């Protein structure tokens, strides 16, 4: 029963061992030409694909669990002496052993008859011994035929039992393969979605202040604006990110009030909450630009201190939910009330590194396609002509990740058991 022990060991391992999935490193690369960029899946399509792949994997895991129970039950049933296939084999095995014993006895009777013939002293004795030998040899031939027939029946019964075990392992391997393939598809879809969701840096999406003075006297109001320019080759939904703040304590921020025109009136920024998205623009075409009017009022009691403004473009398109333009920092001085600053130039922009870029505290406003403000304008002239920025790259398009997958212990042992059954069957004579 060495084969049975091999099968039993493999079955236990196959039923109890979890599937081990080893994923190789994945590579993302945009191999498409620029003209083909828009042929890649949209983010919504990638999201749906990831959701579908995750659902399929959940179903495959449930099927694997059910399959694990099924093969366990099947193998336990096949191991019972009362199972028809095993009972048939045990009966055939018993018959084969009896036939082998009968043949052994018949062969010994032949040898004894031959010895008796050799010991006969006279012709009458030799004739009688020869007659006994002929009868013994006939019995031996009959016993040999009976043994061959019993061996064949035992082999047929054993093959049927083996085939049932092989079939059970094959079904189990199908379940494991389906689970492994579902995991592979899930990982690929998740990684493609993650790659598409990563923030893309586009230098061509700029937000620049216009007429923001380098010095502001406390107790006065200044009007200025900022221009959003899309010098990329993407159509973007843009959410300008703005932040105005005194270099002072939180409780002193109320000395500065900043407002922006939303097309129907003035809306106030909350300088204590952090950067905010305002004046959303939906479907901003490449080369388009828009201007948002702003107003800043400093109370007379405002401290003479430095202040700053942060302006940037946060955006999204059908392919990337996170598109970032560069952030500019404008530093201006607050002068005491009644100061005579003379001729004041505009505050100059300075770049803010990505690592220092503050996160907005408000979500982008719902886009409805309405103008950003009453003062918004659009221009067919490329924004890069006004900003000096070059057209932005379109970012990376996630290629299908190259994943390696190795089956777990259950797959290996299941396949080994099938091989062991077939190999044993090919070389087996009597058991």
């Amino acid at each position: 029963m060495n084969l049975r022990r091999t099968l039993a060991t493999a079955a236990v391992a196959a039923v109890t061992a979890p599937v081990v999935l080893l994923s190789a490193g994945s590579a993302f690369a945009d191999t498409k030409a620029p003209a083909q960029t828009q042929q890649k899946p949209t983010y919504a399509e990638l999201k749906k694909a990831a959701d579908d792949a995750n659902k399929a994997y959940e179903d495959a895991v449930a099927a694997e669990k059910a399959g694990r129970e099924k093969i366990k039950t099947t193998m336990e049933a096949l191991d019972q002496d009362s199972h028809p296939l095993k009972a048939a084999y045990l009966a055939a095995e018993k018959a084969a052993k009896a036939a082998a014993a009968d043949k052994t006895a018949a062969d010994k009777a032949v040898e004894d008859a031959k010895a008796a013939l050799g010991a006969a002293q006279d012709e009458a004795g030799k004739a009688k011994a020869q007659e006994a030998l002929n009868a013994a040899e006939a019995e031996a031939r009959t016993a040999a035929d009976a043994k061959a027939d019993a061996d064949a029946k035992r082999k047929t019964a054993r093959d049927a039992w083996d085939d049932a075990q092989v079939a059970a392992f094959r079904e189990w391997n199908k379940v494991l393969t389906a689970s492994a393939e579902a995991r592979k598809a899930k990982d690929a879809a998740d990684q493609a979605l993650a790659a598409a969701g990563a923030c893309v840096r586009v230098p061509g999406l700029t937000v620049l202040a216009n007429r923001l003075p380098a010095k502001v006297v406390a107790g006065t109001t200044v009007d200025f604006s900022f221009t959003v320019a899309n010098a990329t080759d993407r159509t973007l939904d843009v959410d300008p990110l703005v932040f105005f703040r005194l270099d002072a304590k939180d409780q002193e921020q109320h000395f500065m009030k900043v407002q922006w025109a939303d097309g129907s009136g003035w809306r106030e920024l909350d300088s204590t909450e952090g950067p905010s998205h305002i004046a959303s623009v939906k479907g901003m075409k490449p080369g388009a630009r828009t201007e948002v009017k702003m107003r800043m009022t400093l109370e007379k009691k405002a401290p003479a201190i430095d202040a700053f403004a942060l302006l940037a473009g946060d955006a999204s398109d059908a392919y990337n939910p996170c598109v970032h333009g560069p952030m500019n920092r404008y530093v201006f001085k607050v002068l005491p009330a009644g100061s005579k600053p003379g001729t004041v130039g505009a505050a100059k922009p300075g770049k803010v590194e990505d690592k220092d870029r503050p996160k907005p505290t408000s979500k982008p406003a719902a886009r409805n396609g309405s103008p950003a403000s009453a003062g918004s304008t659009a221009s067919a002239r490329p924004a890069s002509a006004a900003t000096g920025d070059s057209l932005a790259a379109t970012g990376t398009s996630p290629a299908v990740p190259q994943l390696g997958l190795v089956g777990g212990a259950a797959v290996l042992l299941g396949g080994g058991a099938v091989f062991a059954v077939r190999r044993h069957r090919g070389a087996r004579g009597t058991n």
Side-chain angles (χ1 to χ4, degrees):
M1 300 295 287
N2 290 336
L3 172 62
R4 190 70 195 106
R5 286 194 293 272
T6 299
L7 278 170
T9 302
V12 171
V15 172
T16 58
V19 178
V20 180
L21 297 172
L22 304 176
S23 297
S26 59
F28 297 96
D30 188 354
T31 58
K32 298 180 180 179
Q36 297 175 317
T37 299
Q38 301 304 314
Q39 300 303 315
K40 66 183 181 180
T42 64
Y43 187 79
E45 291 169 340
L46 290 174
K47 179 66 169 61
K48 184 179 185 305
D51 290 343
D52 291 346
N54 275 273
K55 178 61 170 63
Y57 177 62
E58 290 175 359
D59 292 343
V61 169
E64 180 186 328
K65 181 179 179 181
R68 190 184 302 277
E69 293 300 318
K70 181 179 179 181
I71 191 175
K72 179 180 178 181
T73 301
T74 299
M75 295 305 294
E76 288 176 348
L78 284 168
D79 200 36
Q80 297 297 316
D81 291 350
S82 59
H83 190 282
L85 292 176
K86 186 175 182 183
Y89 167 72
L90 293 176
E93 173 78 1
K94 182 178 180 180
K97 288 181 177 180
D102 290 344
K103 183 179 181 300
T104 300
D107 289 342
K108 185 176 185 307
V110 170
E111 294 301 322
D112 291 344
K114 288 180 178 179
L117 178 60
Q121 299 296 320
D122 53 31
E123 291 301 324
K126 288 181 180 181
K128 185 176 181 180
Q130 183 62 55
E131 184 179 348
L133 175 59
N134 292 340
E137 288 177 339
E139 288 293 332
R141 287 192 296 270
T142 300
D145 292 341
K147 180 180 180 303
D149 182 64
D151 287 343
K153 290 179 179 178
R154 179 177 61 181
K155 181 179 182 303
T156 299
R158 184 57 191 257
D159 285 350
W161 188 30
D162 287 348
D163 287 344
Q165 297 171 75
V166 169
F169 274 105
R170 281 178 174 168
E171 289 301 316
W172 172 233
N173 282 325
K174 286 180 183 179
V175 172
L176 289 184
T177 299
S179 177
E181 289 300 322
R183 176 61 183 269
K184 179 180 178 181
K186 172 188 176 298
D187 288 345
D190 286 346
Q191 291 185 43
L193 181 65
C199 288
V200 177
R201 311 299 180 186
V202 286
L205 176 60
T206 57
V207 180
L208 298 174
N210 306 312
R211 302 179 305 281
L212 176 64
K215 298 177 182 179
V216 182
V217 178
T220 64
T221 297
V222 295
D223 291 325
F224 60 100
S225 66
F226 66 80
T227 299
V228 182
N230 181 12
T232 74
D233 58 359
R234 301 162 174 253
T235 296
L236 298 171
D237 291 342
V238 183
D239 292 289
L241 186 67
V242 300
F243 186 41
F244 285 77
R245 188 172 176 85
L246 297 170
D247 280 340
K249 299 177 181 179
D250 286 345
Q251 57 266 31
E252 295 182 292
Q253 296 302 318
H254 71 276
F255 290 117
M256 178 174 64
K257 182 173 71 174
V258 181
Q259 299 170 295
W260 62 281
D262 65 359
S264 60
W266 291 96
R267 298 179 60 178
E268 187 172 346
L269 295 179
D270 190 339
S271 297
T272 63
E273 291 297 323
S276 301
H277 288 115
I278 66 171
S280 298
V281 184
K282 184 177 181 180
M284 194 173 193
K285 302 291 184 181
R289 56 192 297 160
T290 186
E291 185 175 0
V292 180
K293 294 180 179 179
M294 300 200 74
R295 174 184 295 169
M296 179 171 60
T297 300
L298 292 174
E299 295 185 9
K300 286 185 178 181
K301 294 182 179 180
I305 198 171
D306 284 346
F308 66 90
L310 300 177
L311 302 176
D314 285 358
S316 63
D317 62 12
Y319 305 94
N320 298 94
C322 180
V323 178
H324 282 175
M327 175 169 278
N328 293 307
R329 178 185 175 95
Y330 294 85
V331 177
F332 56 94
K333 291 185 177 295
V334 177
L335 303 181
S339 297
K340 304 295 183 180
T343 301
V344 178
K348 302 299 182 183
K351 297 297 182 183
V352 177
E353 298 296 330
D354 283 345
K355 63 182 179 64
D356 299 323
R357 184 186 183 113
K359 295 182 179 179
T361 56
S362 61
K363 295 182 179 179
R367 303 185 182 97
N368 54 19
S370 61
S373 71
S376 297
T377 59
S379 172
R381 182 167 58 97
S384 56
T387 64
D389 289 327
S390 59
L391 289 178
T394 58
T396 58
S397 168
V400 177
Q402 300 173 355
L403 299 173
L405 191 65
V406 180
V411 176
L412 297 177
L413 287 173
V418 173
F419 175 75
V421 169
R422 296 306 181 192
R423 184 177 181 215
H424 184 85
R425 177 177 299 154
R428 185 171 60 217
T430 60
N431 189 3

